Amino acid sequence: MNILLVNDDGYNAEGILKLRDFLVKKGHEVIIFAPLFHQSGTSTSLTLSNPLTLKRIEDKVYAIDGRPSDVVAFALSSYKQYQFDLVISGINLGYNISFDTMYSGTLGAANEALNFGYKIIAISADTSLKNVDEALERIWNYLIEKEIISNKYILNINIPHSEEIKGIKITKLAKPIEKPFYEEINQKFYRSREITYIFDPNSDYQALKDGFISITPLKNNTFSQNLYQRIKKINV
């Protein structure tokens, strides 16, 4: 396959390079388009008023001084050397679970690829990237065997930080109880939070806690047909 790799950690992040090496060993053609600088938490934001600069780092590695969504949009609309079969966003350095998926630049890039009609998966792990080599082999075999990669949804995959990977689970987004606060350091304020998750044996959080790879299907359309029908009846 011709595979486009993107992320939000930057073109030289350890996660995206590990993923490239794995896919190249599998015999795939891999092109990296990634932000020039770290872009975590940028979600689906785009650069609209400023021009973008493209930098060729080396053969098949390009960096753009924009957001993850910019990178994907540019690569899929302007890089004509390849017809991409698949877009992969990651490996992100840090989990993307629960409602954090709304803020994630990793998922922002995935959403943009979905908007372009491409098959897309997103992969995240804890910052140590523990178990990544083993996990990638298991994930890739599972996705190919089950034939669940699609251009209709995002497969949001998280790799557990555990002594043993017990398997793979299809999961839901965990429901968080979050209390954000800001710490003042030298008259500057830094966001932090206290967070717990409501217990759900089928959630992404619980799967990771129990030592399983979590795969959560996500869609980028937040429209609710059920709510539409219910509210429409009220207003008749």
Side-chain angles (χ1 to χ4, degrees):
M1 287 190 287
N2 295 327
I3 300 176
L4 173 64
L5 291 191
V6 300
N7 72 358
D8 69 356
D9 290 321
Y11 71 91
N12 57 351
E14 184 180 1
I16 198 170
L17 298 179
K18 273 185 171 289
L19 184 54
R20 177 192 61 183
D21 293 345
F22 170 80
L23 293 168
V24 168
K25 287 179 182 177
K26 289 290 184 182
H28 302 293
E29 192 74 27
V30 179
I31 309 297
I32 290 178
F33 271 84
L36 186 60
F37 305 108
H38 194 272
Q39 295 286 344
S40 289
T42 53
S43 187
T44 57
S45 62
L46 290 166
T47 302
L48 300 177
S49 57
N50 296 318
L52 298 173
T53 301
L54 174 66
K55 184 176 181 180
R56 182 182 181 277
I57 305 301
E58 58 183 72
D59 184 37
K60 300 177 185 177
V61 179
Y62 298 87
I64 294 177
D65 60 343
R67 306 297 175 86
S69 294
D70 294 321
V71 170
V72 174
F74 183 91
L76 295 181
S77 64
S78 301
Y79 191 79
K80 302 299 185 181
Q81 287 91 326
Y82 292 92
Q83 177 61 47
F84 291 111
D85 303 298
L86 175 66
V87 181
I88 305 180
S89 185
I91 299 170
N92 189 66
L93 301 178
Y95 294 139
N96 275 307
I97 63 171
S98 185
F99 288 2
D100 284 350
T101 53
M102 295 188 299
Y103 310 116
S104 165
T106 303
L107 272 299
N111 272 290
E112 192 68 14
L114 203 63
N115 288 338
F116 272 79
Y118 283 81
K119 294 180 178 179
I120 173 70
I121 63 177
I123 306 177
S124 303
D126 74 283
T127 54
S128 74
L129 295 179
K130 184 178 181 180
N131 295 325
V132 158
D133 294 331
E134 174 193 352
L136 285 176
E137 190 71 39
R138 296 178 72 162
I139 289 166
W140 194 250
N141 292 340
Y142 181 89
L143 295 177
I144 300 303
E145 177 188 345
K146 301 297 183 182
E147 299 182 341
I148 57 174
I149 301 173
S150 174
N151 63 354
K152 304 298 182 185
Y153 50 77
I154 300 164
L155 292 176
N156 183 42
I157 303 171
N158 284 272
I159 298 169
H161 177 88
S162 57
E163 293 305 317
E164 176 188 0
I165 295 178
K166 296 180 180 178
I168 296 175
K169 283 189 175 181
I170 304 299
T171 57
K172 303 186 294 185
L173 294 179
K175 294 182 179 180
I177 302 173
E178 182 177 357
K179 295 180 181 179
F181 60 92
Y182 290 82
E183 295 181 281
E184 183 179 0
I185 302 174
N186 296 328
Q187 297 182 318
K188 294 183 179 181
F189 293 88
Y190 297 85
R191 181 182 169 91
S192 188
R193 65 179 179 175
E194 296 176 358
I195 188 166
T196 57
Y197 298 94
I198 297 172
F199 176 75
D200 181 343
N202 298 309
S203 73
D204 48 10
Y205 169 77
Q206 194 62 44
L208 293 171
K209 185 178 179 182
D210 293 341
F212 289 85
I213 295 166
S214 164
I215 301 181
T216 309
L218 302 176
K219 300 194 76 172
N220 61 349
N221 183 357
T222 56
F223 173 76
S224 170
Q225 182 67 30
N226 290 337
L227 282 175
Y228 167 76
Q229 294 295 344
R230 193 170 79 188
I231 295 172
K232 187 176 179 181
K233 289 178 182 179
I234 294 173
N235 290 324
V236 171

